[in-house]
Amino acid sequence: MNRLCLDLGLTNTGWAIDTAHGHIKIPSRETLSPMDDHAKQHRLAWWMRRLNGLITSIEPDSVYVEAPFISRAHPSGAMEVLKLHGVLSTVCSAKKLAMFTVENRTLKKLATGNGNASKQLMFDTAHDLDSSIETEDEADAYLLWHVLQKGLI
């Protein structure tokens, strides 16, 4: 079973993939965020093209995504992440892929034992399991994959 796990973000999107053999691949040098100004202006169209390409190349059976975090301090950023989530839902629907959204607190509780875990604790937990984890986004995607592998979700 190939499952794509995502942590959506405005700057970077963390992602992890497991294969039929149960191994994970985290392409830490690969980005799912627009790098140039033109792409940033057309973020949603860029995101849809990138997701379509990624899903076509890895052929996942399902997609798991951490629920967008709604921050009262940054409501416009939260709205942009919700838009990315909507595009992901549209792409999954078009490709007839099951998409599962996992709440932030649920992931934190299952990964660390603390539903209010800090970003640093999430990163440290992931890094303890796999020292190749480099970013908070990768850590969240990896931990989502990890709790799936353990059958906790």
Side-chain angles (χ1 to χ4, degrees), residues 22-80:
H23 297 101
I24 188 167
K25 294 186 266 181
I26 301 175
S28 60
R29 299 290 179 240
E30 182 76 25
T31 184
L32 282 177
S33 296
M35 300 307 291
D36 60 41
D37 289 335
H38 176 71
K40 286 178 184 176
Q41 291 173 3
H42 305 285
R43 180 187 300 271
L44 296 179
W46 181 91
W47 177 236
M48 184 172 279
R49 284 191 307 275
R50 186 67 182 101
L51 277 174
N52 272 308
L54 177 66
I55 289 171
T56 298
S57 69
I58 65 170
E59 299 178 334
D61 302 306
S62 54
V63 175
Y64 290 79
V65 60
E66 186 178 10
F69 178 71
I70 308 302
S71 168
R72 292 178 193 220
H74 304 287
S76 61
M79 183 59 74
E80 290 303 310

Side-chain angles (χ1 to χ4, degrees), residues 37-128:
D37 289 335
H38 176 71
K40 286 178 184 176
Q41 291 173 3
H42 305 285
R43 180 187 300 271
L44 296 179
W46 181 91
W47 177 236
M48 184 172 279
R49 284 191 307 275
R50 186 67 182 101
L51 277 174
N52 272 308
L54 177 66
I55 289 171
T56 298
S57 69
I58 65 170
E59 299 178 334
D61 302 306
S62 54
V63 175
Y64 290 79
V65 60
E66 186 178 10
F69 178 71
I70 308 302
S71 168
R72 292 178 193 220
H74 304 287
S76 61
M79 183 59 74
E80 290 303 310
V81 173
L82 284 169
K83 290 177 187 176
L84 297 176
H85 193 272
V87 170
L88 174 62
S89 179
T90 300
V91 169
C92 288
S93 178
K95 294 194 173 281
K96 299 187 179 1
L97 281 174
M99 181 179 133
F100 303 94
T101 301
V102 178
E103 293 300 321
N104 308 74
R105 287 183 185 221
T106 300
L107 177 58
K108 289 177 178 189
K109 176 75 173 173
L110 294 173
T112 69
N114 178 354
N116 292 315
S118 67
K119 288 181 181 280
Q120 187 62 51
L121 179 57
M122 291 289 282
F123 176 83
D124 291 345
T125 300
H127 197 265
D128 287 347

